[in-house]
Amino acid sequence: MSTLAQEAAIDGLRERLAEARAAGGAVGFVPTMGFLHAGHRSLIERARRENDVVVVSIFVNPLQFNPGEDFDSYPRDLERDLELCADADADIVFAPDRREMYPEPPAATVRLGALADVLCGASRPGHFDGVATVVAKLFSIVGECSAYLGEKDFQQLTIIGRMAADLSLPVRVVDCPTVREPDGLAVSSRNVYLSDAERGQAPVLRRALQAGAVLVQSGETSGAAVEAEMAAVIAAAPLAQLDYTAAVPASTLIAAGPLQGEVRLLAAARFGQARLIDNIGCRAG
Ligand code: AMP
């Protein structure tokens, strides 16, 4: 196992990576907001297998939280995160503070199109612009690399992939499958907010997606019918407050006529103070 380096300065990280690249090393990058879990670990391990140098960033990005959301209470535990990164054999943890990333409120930000206004963007206005802005900045700091992102946040993954392509950023975005608890709940830093009773009902999200997939695979091509079926499954859990269900083309995430080809099923619901999201893929026709 290599020794884990901790870096808080942008210039310091650039210097370390310049040295690694001069030695011919391919860079794998895992951007996170910390409070690392088995999902993040799977990304780090994949980056480790496929690269010479592995950088994990930990930064709770204020730009992507709306007023009244959980920025202040978002779980943080840098010591434990460093242990997980060392154990997963990462090389560098980049954990800047807010002043290092935003010495003043940014005058230049990334503004996305329609993809940011649907699904989670509809209930979190400006959220994805904030995500894209910090990820563009991180990609600019890290430079040429493969970036490992989770399918758990499928809309985010799609947006970042499009941003990297549209802006010709020197980054290859690698999709990584969702890591789940044994009962099917997607692992998430926000699962710590759940009470025992909410935790017991939270796997309903995944069950709803699976019910939607069965319907699509049995020939249903109406997105609205699949969405209604998934919503009905979630409604049977008394502690779930539905935000949305969606059955949309996997490549665009925007509904366009009958379902065909690769379809993404997505759902979001609140359980107490936790807003949970999940998604799976399936094929129509
Ligand atoms: P976060 O720290 O929640 O911003 O997530 C950082 C990265 O980890 C994102 O690319 C997420 O999609 C990914 N991630 C979070 N949870 C999971 C999971 N359960 N399985 C796979 N990847 C995940």
Side-chain angles (χ1 to χ4, degrees):
M1 192 190 296
S2 58
T3 323
L4 183 72
Q6 194 186 338
E7 184 59 69
I10 292 171
D11 287 347
L13 179 63
R14 284 197 163 123
E15 278 163 29
R16 287 178 194 276
L17 291 176
E19 278 170 30
R21 286 201 181 89
V27 176
F29 176 42
V30 183
T32 82
M33 297 205 301
F35 210 66
L36 303 180
H37 51 59
H40 300 112
R41 189 182 176 109
S42 72
L43 273 46
I44 299 170
E45 288 174 346
R46 174 133 183 227
R48 175 76 286 163
R49 287 196 296 276
E50 297 180 0
N51 298 276
D52 303 298
V53 185
V54 174
V55 184
V56 180
S57 69
I58 297 178
F59 181 63
V60 183
N61 169 39
L63 297 189
Q64 70 190 66
F65 289 79
N66 283 308
E69 291 190 346
D70 56 345
F71 175 72
D72 289 328
S73 59
Y74 194 84
R76 294 162 169 88
D77 190 342
L78 185 58
E79 285 311 308
R80 213 183 50 135
D81 290 349
L82 292 171
E83 277 171 30
L84 185 146
C85 288
D87 198 54
D89 209 11
D91 297 299
I92 306 171
V93 168
F94 176 55
D97 65 13
R98 187 175 177 154
R99 263 170 310 147
E100 179 70 4
M101 287 294 275
Y102 303 117
E104 40 188 331
T109 57
V110 176
R111 179 129 172 246
L112 300 159
L115 198 43
D117 297 331
V118 295
L119 306 171
C120 288
S123 47
R124 304 185 73 188
H127 165 69
F128 287 114
D129 286 356
V131 171
T133 298
V134 79
V135 173
K137 189 169 167 83
L138 289 166
F139 283 179
S140 160
I141 294 166
V142 171
E144 189 173 339
C145 67
S146 298
Y148 295 80
L149 272 73
E151 286 185 356
K152 149 85 176 23
D153 300 279
F154 197 80
Q155 187 175 9
Q156 169 174 286
L157 169 68
T158 306
I159 285 172
I160 300 303
R162 283 298 307 266
M163 178 181 76
D166 290 351
L167 301 181
S168 301
L169 302 177
V171 177
R172 184 175 71 99
V173 174
V174 182
D175 309 6
C176 301
T178 301
V179 174
R180 298 177 179 281
E181 301 286 359
D183 63 3
L185 177 64
V187 179
S188 165
S189 306
R190 288 190 166 101
N191 291 350
V192 293
Y193 297 147
L194 298 168
S195 68
D196 288 348
E198 290 157 358
R199 173 65 188 82
Q201 293 184 21
V204 74
L205 271 189
R206 167 76 165 337
R207 287 202 300 277
L209 297 168
Q210 288 172 321
V214 168
L215 207 54
V216 172
Q217 280 148 8
S218 72
E220 179 60 75
T221 58
S222 158
V226 177
E227 288 166 5
E229 167 71 13
M230 295 191 292
V233 174
I234 294 171
L239 298 178
Q241 264 182 283
L242 181 66
D243 180 349
Y244 68 79
T245 55
V248 287
S251 56
T252 63
L253 301 186
I254 295 185
L259 298 173
Q260 52 179 325
E262 294 301 325
V263 171
R264 207 75 196 178
L265 305 176
L266 306 97
R270 224 166 240 297
F271 293 80
Q273 39 154 337
R275 182 178 178 281
L276 303 185
I277 58 174
D278 201 351
N279 68 88
I280 60 173
C282 62
R283 245 196 101 74

